[in-house]
Amino acid sequence: FANLSHISAEIKKALDETDVNDVNSIDKASNVLCDVIHDTPMPQEIVDEIMESYKQLGGGYLAVRSSATAEDSAIASWAGELETYLNTTQDNLIENVKKCWSSLFTPRAIFYRHEKNLIDHDVQVAVVLQTMVQSEVSGVCFTVHPVTESQNQLIIEAGYGLGEAVVSGQITPDSYIVDKTNLEITDINVNKQTKKLVQQGDKNVWVDLLEAEGD
């Protein structure tokens, strides 16, 4: 998008001029870059490709997710730094894709880029379109233990309802440690859950869980 729209130089200039030790400087750069991305028309060839993908997914509600191309590298993890837009429809699909791109330039993301010495790296955002699913249970799997960094263990964290409740940290999920050599569960930690996130129309709402469920 940046290359096709000829705004790459403007982006680089704003980042180069940012003083990472000055909050006002970071905020100014963020406002400038987000406005540039928002105000720059998306090239028609990209619009056509996105809309074709939307049709292939059957229409309806989508989750529009960000994934930085430098995510989970040896020096940085962008998890939680970028944006996700749930319950996206055809009407706001293009705008939400642009918002995912611009989330690479929020004040938090700019500071993180400086902190990890990625200011001169070509960090980009891959936007993933997924069909919204009304999940009964959802979660995430870390294929390497995120605390001990053990290559022989993976961790599964799960909760009731939509996965956004887990990844946003709004609930304390159950967790399972699995031995990768034989796929045996070596540790289970069940946390009491009192609510779950479910989709209702174009919104997500919290629903109380029965005590027997939450236990």
Side-chain angles (χ1 to χ4, degrees):
F1 168 69
N3 291 332
L4 289 174
S5 303
H6 307 293
I7 59 174
S8 296
E10 192 168 356
I11 291 173
K12 185 177 186 307
K13 182 175 183 293
L15 291 176
D16 289 344
E17 294 177 351
T18 302
D19 180 358
V20 71
N21 297 309
D22 183 350
V23 173
N24 291 328
S25 177
I26 295 176
D27 285 343
K28 179 182 177 181
S30 175
N31 290 332
V32 168
L33 291 171
C34 289
D35 285 347
V36 165
I37 293 173
H38 179 270
D39 296 339
T40 301
M42 186 183 292
Q44 191 59 45
E45 60 190 274
I46 301 181
V47 172
D48 292 343
E49 186 170 348
I50 292 172
M51 287 306 178
E52 179 59 33
S53 297
Y54 179 76
K55 292 178 182 178
Q56 290 177 9
L57 290 172
Y61 293 108
L62 298 184
V64 180
R65 303 186 181 277
S66 305
S67 180
T69 55
E71 188 159 8
D72 297 337
S73 65
I75 60 174
S77 171
W78 288 85
E81 297 295 330
L82 306 177
E83 298 297 331
T84 289
Y85 296 93
L86 303 180
N87 305 315
T88 297
T89 65
Q90 182 174 349
D91 293 338
N92 59 355
L93 175 56
I94 298 301
E95 185 60 29
N96 284 352
V97 170
K98 291 175 73 173
K99 286 181 180 178
C100 284
W101 287 335
S102 66
S103 69
L104 190 61
F105 305 108
T106 61
R108 183 176 64 179
I110 291 175
F111 180 82
Y112 186 77
R113 185 191 290 228
H114 275 276
E115 184 182 44
K116 297 300 181 180
N117 295 317
L118 292 171
I119 201 63
D120 293 325
H121 287 60
D122 185 24
V123 180
Q124 301 180 46
V125 179
V127 179
V128 180
L129 308 184
Q130 298 174 316
T131 301
M132 286 287 293
V133 174
Q134 187 71 283
S135 51
E136 296 179 12
V137 175
S138 54
V140 295
C141 175
F142 300 91
T143 55
V144 174
H145 197 299
V147 178
T148 66
E149 299 183 1
S150 170
Q151 299 281 336
N152 296 321
Q153 292 179 323
L154 60 81
I155 291 185
I156 299 168
E157 294 186 340
Y160 289 104
L162 298 177
E164 182 68 13
V166 176
V167 299
S168 65
Q170 295 182 79
I171 66 167
T172 302
D174 297 346
S175 63
Y176 307 83
I177 297 179
V178 180
D179 187 325
K180 291 164 71 172
T181 59
N182 55 20
L183 297 184
E184 288 187 1
I185 298 175
T186 60
D187 186 68
I188 299 175
N189 185 21
V190 176
N191 293 290
K192 183 177 178 62
Q193 297 180 33
T194 60
K195 59 184 181 179
K196 64 179 178 180
L197 194 63
V198 300
Q199 183 188 13
Q200 287 188 2
D202 61 353
K203 296 180 180 179
N204 297 327
V205 298
W206 288 103
V207 174
D208 292 335
L209 289 169
L210 298 174
E211 188 167 346
E213 280 185 295
D215 287 340

